[in-house]
Amino acid sequence: MELYGDVRYLKGIGEARAKLLEKLDIRTVYDLISYFPRAYEDRSVIRDLAEIAEGETACVRAAVISTPLLSRIRKGLNLTRFRIADDSGSAEVTFFNQPYLKNQLHVGSRYSFYGRFQRFGNKLSLQNPTFEPADGEGKTTGRIVPVYRLTSGISQNTLIKSIRQGLDSCLEELRDLLPAETIRRYDLPDIRRAYRSIHMPADMAEAMRARQRLVFEELFVLACALGSMKNQRRSEAGHVIPAPALEEFTGRLPFELTGAQSRAIRDSLADMASGSAMNRLVQGDVGSGKTMVAAACIWAVCRAGFQAAFMAPTELLADQHFRTFSTLLEPMGIRVVQLKSSMTAKAKREAVERLALGEADLAVGTHALLSEGVEFPRLALAVTDEQHRFGVGQRSALAAKTSAPHILVMSATPIPRTLALILYGDLDVSVIDELPPGRQKVDTYAVEESMRPRIQRFIARLVDEGRQVYVVCPMIEEDEEGTLDLRSAAEVYEQLRTEVFPQYRLGLLHGRMKTAEKEAVMASFVSGEIQILVSTTVVEVGVDVPNAALMVVENADRFGLSQLHQLRGRVGRGKHKSYCVLFKGKGGGVSAERLDALVKESDGFRISEEDLKLRGPGDFFGSRQHGLPTLHIADLAASLDVLKEAQAEAERLLAADPSLEKHPALRQRVESIFRNAETG
Ligand code: ADP
Ligand code: MG
């Protein structure tokens, strides 16, 4: 077997199981052994049958003392039953619908059994236990046993056994990606040791050490990847855009720029005038006015005779920005086109043609901008909005359209500085830490279900005053269990429309609607036609309706804290006093404590710091809010300290070996990260 060979050739896997494993993203033996346990069960203690209490889950070592009997109860249900005994006592074992076991368990032989026991008086019984011969090396009993996330058709035992087999045959081929010096400095186990320990630790401490080491390695590889991307782009020459006198631009704005906006613009213009390619992240809370920074850069680039591209994550946002830029920039002589998937083929062709001929200066759109055939002969600036929605790969894909355009990315995801260091390791950062003047704080309330009638009266009052209202419901995943108490956006909409607010105009917006439908609904909300918009989190990012004064969130416990902050940012964008009401729901996600943080705090960065304190960084990686390649193990166990250490080690290594020439295995992995990010 080879490490990167197909898993189907492992003993006991074959075609059928290989197909199922693919659902877990397991294709090669390497994938298989890199499928780490989500938890462990301690089956290391062997118990006496006589001591086991009702309801206990335990491991015993006992002999089969009666011939396994198969009985058919009814169609589709048969039982295999027999008795087992150790020195202390006995128990009855029952298996459901596994008739073949009758021939696998032999009277007089000893096995280890693991399962949940039931006891009625002195009658002890055990159903569907895991078992294996007592004399072999324990794989599933008598030790700490890994617990893997499963997919149907693949059992824990199958995974345990095939991973074991993969380790036995291929472990030697694993290469350490951490430099020897780093391993020494942090006293980490080597890679083979770590792989063995994480799957079959002798004790929990060993499992934790292995995990720490693998987390370290994953973050280290990521930091190397981002670091080398930064180095690479640093050394690229960029189009020189002479920095214009900013007054020419600001003179046309209906407002004064804030100090933070001016600073970010000056930084960016200086980058673009420098001769090397700009790589800048503009990070600012929702409503802080990031769009103006982009507008100023676009203006500078276009007036110098170059083209710019502006990419937004959703069609809704692309539309909104198209309107903003057309209104602002067309009068300055900048020709703006739109490009998104939902346009007619003809409209698309026209836009593409104008870009190719240099008859358009700015293209605003979605990832359709990345499509093949879209060419910008004079592209000098690529802007991505709400960049966390895009993968690192996509970010670089836009850049790859021509040689080294300047890159500006904007994000409202307030990421604590410590994490930003890793997540945006390849970018320079401008922080917009100041809101435009006159913004009012959004009054926020976390309320119980009993408050619903009052909230409904409040909604009615605001609508009667001419304001608009959002009602946001959590996304319900189809195969999720236990969601019965969660109301979908469609249900909430129906009920509000027919029973609660028949006198008002309501609209419904959710992710599964066709783009054209979504656009129509959003357009009627923007125009004020729709008074109450019931929606899923599609409205989360960037949508700007200044007349909206109330954000109601159903089952707020289902959202992340930063996500709730984003939602709240949809209101309070105009001159009207605005409110955010969070229905607490029945718990499960955000705790009461965390909702309180949101009620008290309106600064996105401080909220994210709070979130980090309460949840640890795992959630930031887990929530896919960062646009990085999926992390395998760091989601589960990363700690901030490890993050910082891994970053420091990566910097140290890149300083000594910028192109990773002396570390070919690491270099290969770094390259594969970006390949995967692009397809993913
Ligand atoms: P975000 O940072 O969330 O992308 P936007 O760029 O959409 O924020 O700006 C939010 C709103 O604030 C817009 O309506 C915009 O016109 C307005 N705005 C931006 N800058 C200023 C400013 N300096 N003074 C007043 N209003 C501003
Ligand atoms: Mg925005």
Side-chain angles (χ1 to χ4, degrees):
M1 245 357 261
E2 281 179 8
L3 187 58
Y4 293 100
D6 197 317
V7 276
R8 84 182 65 190
Y9 303 120
L10 273 182
K11 204 172 114 226
I13 298 283
E15 295 284 337
R17 280 194 175 137
K19 272 239 150 53
L20 296 170
L21 286 174
E22 246 189 82
K23 287 196 198 140
L24 300 173
D25 283 328
I26 297 174
R27 291 177 185 82
T28 65
V29 177
Y30 175 72
D31 297 337
L32 180 70
I33 63 176
S34 304
Y35 194 70
F36 302 127
R38 66 170 173 79
Y40 296 91
E41 267 179 22
D42 189 351
R43 304 181 188 173
S44 58
V45 183
I46 306 291
R47 304 280 307 278
D48 284 341
L49 282 169
E51 281 176 11
I52 295 174
E54 152 66 16
E56 253 192 279
T57 300
C59 192
V60 299
R61 205 162 273 165
V64 174
I65 56 167
S66 75
T67 309
L69 287 178
L70 178 65
S71 52
R72 179 179 282 270
I73 305 300
R74 56 178 153 78
K75 193 168 182 323
L77 177 63
N78 61 63
L79 306 180
T80 307
R81 248 189 285 226
F82 56 93
R83 293 196 65 78
I84 58 171
D86 64 8
D87 290 343
S88 72
S90 66
E92 182 177 72
V93 179
T94 311
F95 285 99
F96 294 89
N97 292 337
Q98 299 179 65
Y100 49 87
L101 289 182
K102 185 170 161 303
N103 305 318
Q104 285 179 19
L105 286 142
H106 307 290
V107 180
S109 296
R110 279 160 47 84
Y111 302 87
S112 295
F113 295 91
Y114 175 83
R116 187 168 179 276
F117 286 82
Q118 285 183 303
R119 182 182 282 285
F120 297 103
N122 57 10
K123 285 185 66 169
L124 191 62
S125 64
L126 180 59
Q127 291 176 355
N128 293 329
T130 297
F131 72 95
E132 63 187 347
D135 49 5
E137 179 205 7
K139 289 194 173 76
T140 58
T141 61
R143 56 174 305 132
I144 302 223
V145 175
V147 180
Y148 299 97
R149 203 163 281 123
L150 298 177
T151 185
S152 70
I154 297 286
S155 69
Q156 289 294 349
N157 281 355
T158 307
L159 276 174
I160 288 175
K161 285 180 187 152
S162 44
I163 287 172
R164 170 78 64 105
Q165 210 195 322
L167 290 173
D168 286 347
S169 53
C170 298
L171 199 59
E172 290 307 308
E173 290 178 53
L174 270 182
R175 294 284 161 267
D176 227 311
L177 299 181
L178 289 178
E181 199 191 323
T182 304
I183 293 183
R184 262 198 313 279
R185 198 169 5 246
Y186 292 98
D187 192 21
L188 301 167
D190 72 51
I191 190 68
R192 293 169 200 153
R193 181 64 199 263
Y195 263 73
R196 214 164 245 293
S197 301
I198 197 159
H199 290 294
M200 21 186 197
D203 52 45
M204 287 311 291
E206 186 183 325
M208 287 321 293
R209 268 197 309 279
R211 190 171 282 279
Q212 284 291 305
R213 136 93 215 202
L214 293 166
V215 166
F216 194 107
E217 178 175 295
E218 183 162 50
L219 295 172
F220 172 79
V221 170
L222 181 64
C224 284
L226 294 170
S228 62
M229 189 151 122
K230 185 176 189 163
N231 285 347
Q232 212 174 17
R233 293 197 41 85
R234 267 279 151 69
S235 57
E236 277 170 4
H239 302 279
V240 178
I241 308 295
L246 201 51
E247 293 71 40
E248 246 183 85
F249 175 76
T250 51
R252 297 190 181 245
L253 294 180
F255 41 67
E256 299 261 312
L257 291 178
T258 64
Q261 281 172 317
S262 304
R263 273 195 301 280
I265 292 173
R266 260 197 299 273
D267 288 347
S268 313
L269 294 181
D271 286 352
M272 293 196 294
S274 73
S276 26
M278 165 167 80
N279 280 288
R280 186 164 291 277
L281 167 72
V282 176
Q283 207 183 18
D285 216 342
V286 280
S288 60
K290 294 183 289 295
T291 316
M292 280 310 131
V293 179
C297 292
I298 292 168
W299 165 74
V301 161
C302 295
R303 71 189 278 292
F306 292 98
Q307 290 174 309
F310 184 103
M311 185 164 74
T314 64
E315 300 233 336
L316 269 176
L317 282 177
D319 287 347
Q320 183 184 302
H321 283 124
F322 177 66
R323 283 193 298 272
T324 306
F325 289 131
S326 304
T327 316
L328 181 69
L329 300 176
E330 296 265 5
M332 306 185 197
I334 294 170
R335 299 159 297 178
V336 190
V337 291
Q338 190 171 23
L339 201 59
K340 48 178 189 169
S341 336
S342 65
M343 282 164 44
T344 63
K346 179 160 171 280
K348 257 186 259 182
R349 207 168 44 240
E350 268 174 29
V352 169
E353 233 171 70
R354 290 186 59 199
L355 285 169
L357 293 173
E359 287 171 7
D361 307 300
L362 168 66
V364 181
T366 58
H367 54 269
L369 290 171
L370 302 177
S371 326
E372 230 165 290
V374 181
E375 278 168 38
F376 300 84
R378 291 182 62 73
L379 184 68
L381 171 66
V383 188
T384 49
D385 192 22
E386 304 301 347
Q387 90 91 30
H388 61 286
R389 289 296 182 95
F390 293 106
V392 170
Q394 278 171 316
R395 189 160 98 203
S396 41
L398 188 54
K401 281 271 166 196
T402 54
S403 65
H406 298 292
I407 291 188
L408 186 68
V409 301
M410 302 192 290
S411 176
T413 311
I415 288 172
R417 255 166 253 285
T418 28
L419 285 178
L421 204 67
I422 290 260
L423 299 180
Y424 300 126
D426 61 325
L427 300 169
D428 298 311
V429 180
S430 294
V431 175
I432 305 200
D433 49 6
E434 181 184 356
L435 291 180
R439 286 290 161 77
Q440 303 178 35
K441 188 172 161 297
V442 176
D443 286 349
T444 305
Y445 307 92
V447 302
E448 309 280 348
E449 192 51 38
S450 60
M451 287 286 284
R452 192 170 290 278
R454 279 184 65 179
I455 301 299
Q456 287 173 346
R457 286 197 295 278
F458 185 54
I459 293 177
R461 204 189 86 203
L462 285 178
V463 175
D464 288 339
E465 284 171 11
R467 301 290 78 73
Q468 288 165 283
V469 176
Y470 291 102
V471 177
V472 173
C473 306
M475 208 96 74
I476 300 178
E477 284 172 33
E478 275 168 76
D479 55 351
E480 201 179 326
E481 284 170 41
T483 47
L484 292 178
D485 58 333
L486 278 188
R487 299 191 304 158
S488 73
E491 285 169 73
V492 170
Y493 168 72
E494 265 320 306
Q495 196 201 8
L496 290 182
R497 190 177 66 89
T498 56
E499 295 168 26
V500 187
F501 299 123
Q503 71 275 36
Y504 299 132
R505 299 182 301 272
L506 277 77
L508 172 65
L509 193 67
H510 60 74
R512 261 174 255 148
M513 286 162 57
K514 291 216 183 65
T515 307
E517 290 173 312
K518 274 192 279 197
E519 279 174 1
V521 169
M522 207 52 219
S524 1
F525 191 61
V526 172
S527 74
E529 169 66 25
I530 291 173
Q531 297 166 303
I532 301 174
L533 181 65
V534 181
S535 115
T536 55
T537 46
V538 249
V539 292
E540 178 191 340
V541 226
V543 176
D544 198 16
V545 180
N547 190 43
L550 171 62
M551 166 63 65
V552 178
V553 182
E554 296 283 344
N555 291 97
D557 55 310
R558 285 276 159 164
F559 297 88
L561 211 49
S562 293
Q563 204 181 9
L564 288 172
H565 178 66
Q566 291 273 333
L567 284 170
R568 176 168 64 182
R570 299 301 107 224
V571 299
R573 299 172 79 89
K575 51 187 184 296
H576 311 290
K577 173 78 201 148
S578 297
Y579 309 87
C580 176
V581 173
L582 308 167
F583 277 103
K584 284 181 185 171
K586 298 208 177 76
V590 179
S591 66
E593 187 188 2
R594 290 173 50 211
L595 286 184
D596 281 347
L598 202 70
V599 169
K600 291 201 200 89
E601 188 57 70
S602 54
D603 177 293
F605 286 91
R606 280 211 290 275
I607 287 172
S608 73
E609 300 279 359
E610 187 67 16
D611 218 11
L612 184 67
K613 244 187 359 231
L614 292 168
R615 297 196 291 184
D619 269 36
F620 282 92
F621 291 108
S623 65
R624 305 272 159 85
Q625 291 245 329
H626 47 65
L628 285 172
T630 317
L631 292 177
H632 224 80
I633 180 166
D635 325 10
L636 309 171
S639 82
L640 262 190
D641 295 342
V642 182
L643 215 62
K644 284 185 206 156
E645 290 166 0
Q647 171 86 10
E649 288 300 302
E651 273 169 16
R652 208 189 297 253
L653 182 74
L654 284 171
D657 181 12
S659 52
L660 300 176
E661 254 159 54
K662 295 187 206 87
H663 299 83
L666 177 60
R667 183 180 166 154
Q668 223 172 19
R669 180 68 66 79
V670 161
E671 282 166 1
S672 80
I673 278 198
F674 289 114
R675 258 201 314 282
N676 293 341
E678 262 155 61
T679 53

